[in-house]
Amino acid sequence: MAIDCLVLGAGQEVGKSCMVVSINGKRIMFDCGMHMGYTDSRRYPDFSLISKTGDFDNALTCVIVTHFHLDHIGALPYFTEVCGYKGPIYMTYPTKALAPLMLEDYRKNMDRRGEDEQFTSDHIAECMKKVIPVDLKQTVQVDKDLQIRAYYAGHVIGAAMFYAKVGDAAMVYTGDYNMTPDRHLGAAQIDRLQLDLLITESTYATTIRDSRYGREREFLKAVHNCVAAGGKVLIPTFALGRAQELCILLEDYWERMNLKVPIYFSAGLTIQANMYYKMLINWTSQKIKETYATHNAFDFKNVRNFDRSLINAPGPCVLFATPGMIVGGFSLEVFMQWAPSENNLVTLPGYCVAGTIGHKLMSGKPTKIDLDKDTQINVRCQIHQLSFSPHTDAKGIMDLVKFLSPKHAILVHGEKPKMATLKERIQSELGIQCYCPANNETVTIPSTHYVKADASGTFIRSCLNPNFKFSTRSSTDKSYLDSNKSKAVSRLSVSDDRATEGILVVEKGKKAKVIHQDEILHMLGEKKHEIQFAYCIPMPMARTEDLSSTSHMLCGFDKSTLISRLSMILSDELSEGNILDLGEELQVESFRVSVCSSDNCPHRLSSSLQNGSESVFFCCNWSVADEKLAWKIISIMKNSTL
Amino acid sequence: MGRVAELERRQSAMELHVINSIQQSLDNNQPLSFQALASLRSLIINPATPDSTLSSVLDALTRSLQLNRDPVFLHHAVKLLSDLASHRPHLSPFALDLLRSDSLFSSASPRLVGESLSVLLSLASIGNDMDAARFVSLCLGPSVSVRQCLLRNAEKLVFRESVLLAVFLGFTRDPYPYVRKEALDGLVKLCKNGDFDDRDVIEGCYCRAVELLRDAENYVRSAAVRAVCEWGRLLVICSEDMNKQDSSDAVFIQLGCMVRDMSLDVRLEAFEALGKIGLVSEDILLQTLSKKVLGINKDKAYKPIEGLDISVSAVAGAYIHGLEDEFSEVRMSACYSLRTLTVFSLRFACEALNLMMDMLSDDSTVIRLQALDTIHHMATSDHLKVEKIHIHRFLSVLVDSSSVIRSMTRKILKLAKLPQFELFKLCIDGLLGNLEIYPQDEADVLSALFHFGRNHGKFTVHIIEEVAPEMEPASGGKLSFDSTRVAAFLVLAISAPLSHEKDVSAIPPRIFSYAVTWLGRISYGLSDIMNQEKLLAYLSECSRSSTISLADFKINEALLTVEGDASIPLCSKVDSPVSMPFWKDSGGISDYHHQEFLSLGKSAAHAEYELGEHSELRKYVNLIFKKVKDSWSLVELGCTTEACKGIRACKEEVASFTTESPGSFGAVAFTLQYLQVIEMLAKVWGHLRATKMLNPNGVGKLELLFAKLDRRLREISNRFIGLSKGEELQILDLVLVACLLRLSKVEICCCNAAMKLLSSTVAHVEYLHKEGSIEPSNFVTEVKKSLHDADSSSSSSSCQPLLFKKLLDSFSLQQFVLYGTPRSVHAELAVPGNDSENPLPFIPGIPASIPLAITLHNVLTESRLWVRISMGEESTQFVFLDLNLIRNKKRSINVVREFTFVAPFYRTPKAVSFTVRASLGLECFRENVDRVKVFGGPKCELTYLCPEKEIFLCKSTECKSKSAFT
């Protein structure tokens, strides 16, 4: 069995996340995003790779969308309404609520730019009707074999990581996630699962970020300094996510510093979004959830609605305006008015797409920006670059991979060289096989497959009862070898042998079966064989009388006397073992010794026959387990006289 | 009435019916029906059922148990018996006997055994019913619930450690996670109580716990974290000295791996555990504050045990993560554990301070408070280096809306020592700002300014020079001393002469006279340092001369002793309004930390604080005791100075507790005394236990220290009544340690005396143990054993310093928990109307009479009191004070007794005038140590109940004023 992962987007790049995973006969599409950097066919994932015929309903079991960012959901209306996919789509409740806002906003902007429309408002509405919302940690049985479960991912409100399991194969697709909490969202949270595959984002594959307190402090300082000097602050942001986080931050600071400078939200989307946020408290961080009963953190006290007439009103203010990166719309309008004054401040997000005004402002500090042929903006205002990011950093990715310890990992949603570095780290530090495929490539990894087996009654009974054993595991510490002083390291360790007592039997034409080890002989109709060692050794006699022949000696001393003499010798010399005198025979554990009267004993070595000396032959036998002990006894016997 | 009687009649009829029908069915050898069982139950739980009926119910059950083997019936029978036992305590022995019987507890059905076991356990009545073999065989049985129950209660069914160890370690392999968890918990308990020195065993347990850190279940992982912590500490202890540091580092790193766990509980446990590992290298500590792997730690791997290699990168940024955790509990825990680690490295403390400054803007008050506490801790351990970038953020906390936070901030400022004038000025501005916004803080702000000024003599003088014009009376000759700002500067100014720096005489004397006009307000603020009279005396002294010779000035001495070793509190009654309302709840603070403290307290003994008006105070006091216990671990590590510093800070804090409420005086005095004992003990310990040889000069100093320690111990054991046996025992433990310390050093040991004291103390301890049926601590048992050995081996019991040294190793300071309200035994001694101007008359050579006005507090009538009168160094006499006689003369009140006693002084010299010093001493019965006695004096050592009083006498004819007492 294998898991096939077809990367349709976000392979070695950021944008249009889309991944089709075939797992035990089920095909799941994770995310259906669009690329914001392209306007041609590269904008959407190449859906034809899923099904040549365009019969997506049969080709895919379901679509799962992790969160509402356009690079994760942007192509969904196109895929369902234009390409004609009609199967189930899963996303979390907040994503379902907020996705139409995002899509609609994008469609309008596209409209405004005069690009040809890929989908209409109706398409969005129709598409949303197909969506089945899920809750966190709710296990959804998609069909008989496939179950999925959402885990909290941080990042943006409603973002989730998805766990999918078909039969014995299980995997997690993280989408975008954040391992550290921010002002309004918690950190990603997932159980320790048995996974064959983990597909994780790797936006910051090599960056390690510092504590967020420092970032917040810088931002607040910049804003405070600006308003204290009577300047205006423009914060161009996307309507959802960052705006709320920064606003909570400012609100908190305003409260603590007792500031009265107005904070404005540009009308429209942001206000509507705030309304949703207020309802989606359950998806925010612990702190907001806790204080929500007394004060809803999204109920901003200092925030007012903005009116166009206020753009040139005197006095300081802070304004949140959409869209981010100053790509146009209201934020551009305000920017044109405020940029010429050096009192004012513009904060930019950490990442701006090339070609936007935001990008121009970030790369060097231009004094003039040409908007189009006729308009030119004088830029004298201060620029502050935010270093907030809702993505986890390299350490976070490593932490997650380490925590989940999957058998294989795939990196997506990142830049190629950085991903390669991270891939190396995962392989060398964690010992997990890791891949970072490019778009339209397929990665195949083996998956777990369990065989069902019957168990015999004896085995089950033995399994119910604990059967642990302690052993002192000995090993020789190699590092001591060079100092010529080999030191044995021993450690107490414990093992439970219940499972090892079972033996898997697969007979032709029958189901596999686990039986207890005691049953195996009976089942095979065989007998148990044991290996016995035997050795017949001579022991010299002390010369007590003038007797010369061995046979004489044997007459003089009967066997039991010899044995009891031997017993005395052994009990003097031997520290371990319990010596049993059985009359004609001595027994120490499995080691048995008796006087050998036959001259042609097969266990006798010819060389041990010595002329002239009077010896008694003892026949010894023992089993493998007591080999050490046996040789110890034999050496005692060799070195002593009766 | 008739109705009630009717009801009773009906009920007894019903009872009879039920019993009869049951008897009948039993006689016919029929099993009881469920209906019958139900009616039995109703009889059992009805409180009105007479005992006779219940006895017959019990009989019926006994008989039916012999008849019936149906598991469902047996299940019900167990339930009935447990109800019976819990509802009728006097019948419970019979019910328990039945439960223990063969048919239930010893039956073959594991489920039944489990049920009866849990009932027996819940009734706390399982003792000798189980031997190890049975315990093990039940554990190894197939029933998981029984296994879990047995493991959880294993330590109640007291067995040998070896059996428990084998069982617990074995079951960490169980496929059921809850069994694994119980097994791990069992290992933790075993490790805490047990005594293991077999390295194989310790390594085995440690490795198994480490393996389980990767378990799939959260609760197993958090149990594993605890186990790794405990066994890891044991592993460190049993490592060879050379490897100690490495093992300790390795355990720390191992635990550090868990701070990124997804489960809240695991993270909490992990941070708690990190704080418990004492000795950690600086490199590793620094690594916990940086997410990037530091160059020095790259490729550094630790290998505490074969096969457990671990890289330092695992702890990278552990505390960064902890302090920005989503859950305030984790942030709290991280803050707290950081606190304990700052002691070990200055560099780490400096780096950690950056983070703490961020925590000061956390949205939760409790965390801000904890952050301040951590900073305070750094300050007391001298690891606080404030830089300019910090100071603004730090001072912004002074305007925090929570008063607890402000007060804590000021507390830190009191300890601060700043290198630059600029920073000093910023702090002063901050305090003034605080005063302006929150006038209610005035007293504490003034106190803070005083301490702060005293720590920075030169800066203070400098700043006073700057603001001097402000403090001058405004034009027109009118004093405009109405602004608190001026008051603040005045306090600052008057603090300067008391600083330890030399060049501080530049404060113009008139400023001190201005301060006199503010006496009330200032003394209110400084009430923890000096009382109003002292302050006035000080101010007038300073204002008189421009060159102040402070050598003979008492305040300075007293202030110095506060830092050194305070013998007597400067003002007898500390009624400070600035008592630390440290954990006083100020609104919506979630009490996470509170709970934590409680749970910490529980580890020492169960801390069930009784409710009452002192419970608040007791809570603070017990927090102090906890701190003391924490500092003791420093002493054991050899950081005596740091520990003493911490204890002194505690003393200051205790001194600021209010003693207004009745009974609190004793508790506060007791706490102070305890702190002093511990401090002396720490000093002696530090001297003796230091590895370096004792230098000859040291012997004299050590003798002094010992003398002080003995005095303090005498005081604490004799000057307080109303202590419980447990509390007394803890004090006796300290006495034992002092004896052992003395005995462990040949140079200073006077063996016989110390041995005598030791054996008498041990005897007393034994007596108390028997009396209160308290289990003796490990330490005491050890001491007893070796004392016995020493006695039997050689009658002369020659000094065996090595033996005693070894004994000291087994000592660890228990956390003192104050339950009751100790009352302080003390006295006041006065000679009315006597001073240097009005001396008492005497005739040389003829005994003089000295009238003493004595007030006794809490002195028991059976105690023997002596008046000690000494003249100079050479002559001392004791006069016995018979309390029985006094009672006859004057009506005595229970606690406070006031009377006049005329003491004779026999050996009046041939002089015109002379002075004697008198004090009251209490005979300590336990310490009848032989010594050179003054004839007729007390047989035992005295504990003095009051400071010495100077009495002036003058030859009769030259007496200026006629005394009323002649």
Side-chain angles (χ1 to χ4, degrees), chain A residues 126-317:
Chain A
E126 277 305 309
C127 166
M128 283 300 147
K129 280 183 192 160
K130 299 191 178 78
V131 171
I132 305 165
V134 297
D135 219 329
L136 285 182
K137 294 205 177 177
Q138 172 195 0
T139 306
V140 179
Q141 200 77 39
V142 175
D143 60 20
K144 195 164 91 350
D145 302 316
L146 171 63
Q147 49 178 321
I148 60 169
R149 200 181 306 145
Y151 287 99
Y152 194 76
H155 189 62
V156 285
I157 204 154
M161 311 197 231
F162 275 91
Y163 166 76
K165 182 179 175 194
V166 185
D168 306 316
M171 62 162 295
V172 162
Y173 177 83
T174 64
D176 293 354
Y177 62 100
N178 194 359
M179 292 287 280
T180 50
D182 65 21
R183 282 275 164 169
H184 73 305
L185 296 175
Q189 205 276 328
I190 195 165
D191 296 330
R192 177 160 276 174
L193 303 157
Q194 293 274 345
L195 296 181
D196 295 304
L197 173 65
L198 172 73
I199 303 173
T200 171
E201 66 134 322
S202 51
T203 320
Y204 292 100
T206 53
T207 321
I208 292 180
R209 270 180 286 131
D210 279 335
S211 158
R212 77 182 148 92
Y213 293 108
R215 303 196 289 272
E216 290 181 0
R217 208 163 51 230
E218 267 172 40
F219 169 72
L220 290 173
K221 201 169 136 197
V223 172
H224 193 171
N225 285 348
C226 176
V227 293
K232 293 178 162 65
V233 183
L234 171 66
I235 307 178
T237 101
F238 291 112
L240 297 166
R242 185 60 47 74
Q244 281 75 20
E245 186 191 351
L246 293 180
C247 202
I248 287 178
L249 188 60
L250 285 178
E251 180 90 2
D252 222 47
Y253 188 74
W254 252 232
E255 205 77 357
R256 216 153 16 105
M257 290 292 145
N258 213 4
L259 293 178
K260 294 279 176 267
V261 177
I263 301 174
Y264 295 112
F265 263 18
S266 72
L269 186 51
T270 321
I271 300 291
Q272 202 178 350
N274 276 352
M275 194 187 73
Y276 276 111
Y277 267 83
K278 266 189 236 174
M279 295 190 294
L280 297 171
I281 288 294
N282 208 20
W283 295 74
T284 57
S285 76
Q286 192 60 26
K287 194 234 156 184
I288 292 182
K289 272 190 251 180
E290 271 167 10
T291 53
Y292 147 77
T294 47
H295 168 66
N296 191 326
F298 298 105
D299 227 345
F300 302 113
K301 269 187 233 156
N302 295 305
V303 173
R304 283 158 236 185
N305 281 347
F306 196 68
D307 198 84
R308 272 210 168 65
S309 63
L310 289 166
I311 292 181
N312 287 316
C317 70

Side-chain angles (χ1 to χ4, degrees), chain A residues 457-517:
Chain A
T458 323
F459 178 68
I460 288 175
R461 271 192 299 281
S462 91
C463 273
L464 283 175
N465 292 309
N467 180 22
F468 42 79
K469 291 201 173 84
F470 296 95
S471 56
T472 312
R473 203 187 296 151
S474 295
S475 64
T476 313
D477 193 343
K478 297 230 165 49
S479 64
Y480 285 89
L481 278 180
D482 39 59
S483 62
N484 239 349
K485 197 174 73 184
S486 132
K487 182 188 164 195
V489 177
S490 63
R491 184 195 310 153
L492 183 70
S493 62
V494 58
S495 56
D496 199 330
D497 287 337
R498 280 182 247 186
T500 53
E501 282 170 354
I503 294 166
L504 182 71
V505 182
V506 188
E507 280 179 277
K508 239 182 200 164
K510 279 190 186 173
K511 258 189 176 174
K513 191 174 185 186
V514 182
I515 58 170
H516 193 262
Q517 60 185 16

Side-chain angles (χ1 to χ4, degrees), chain B residues 923-939:
Chain B
E923 215 167 316
C924 316
F925 286 109
R926 271 205 304 288
E927 286 185 60
N928 46 352
V929 178
D930 295 322
R931 60 187 193 103
V932 188
K933 288 179 297 198
V934 181
F935 176 72
K939 289 197 183 89

Side-chain angles (χ1 to χ4, degrees), chain A residues 213 217 399 405 491 494, chain B residues 173 214 260 306 323 358:
Chain A
Y213 293 108
R217 208 163 51 230
D399 286 337
S405 299
R491 184 195 310 153
V494 58
Chain B
R173 284 274 177 201
R214 300 189 59 74
R260 288 299 273 159
E306 187 69 13
L323 292 176
D358 285 330

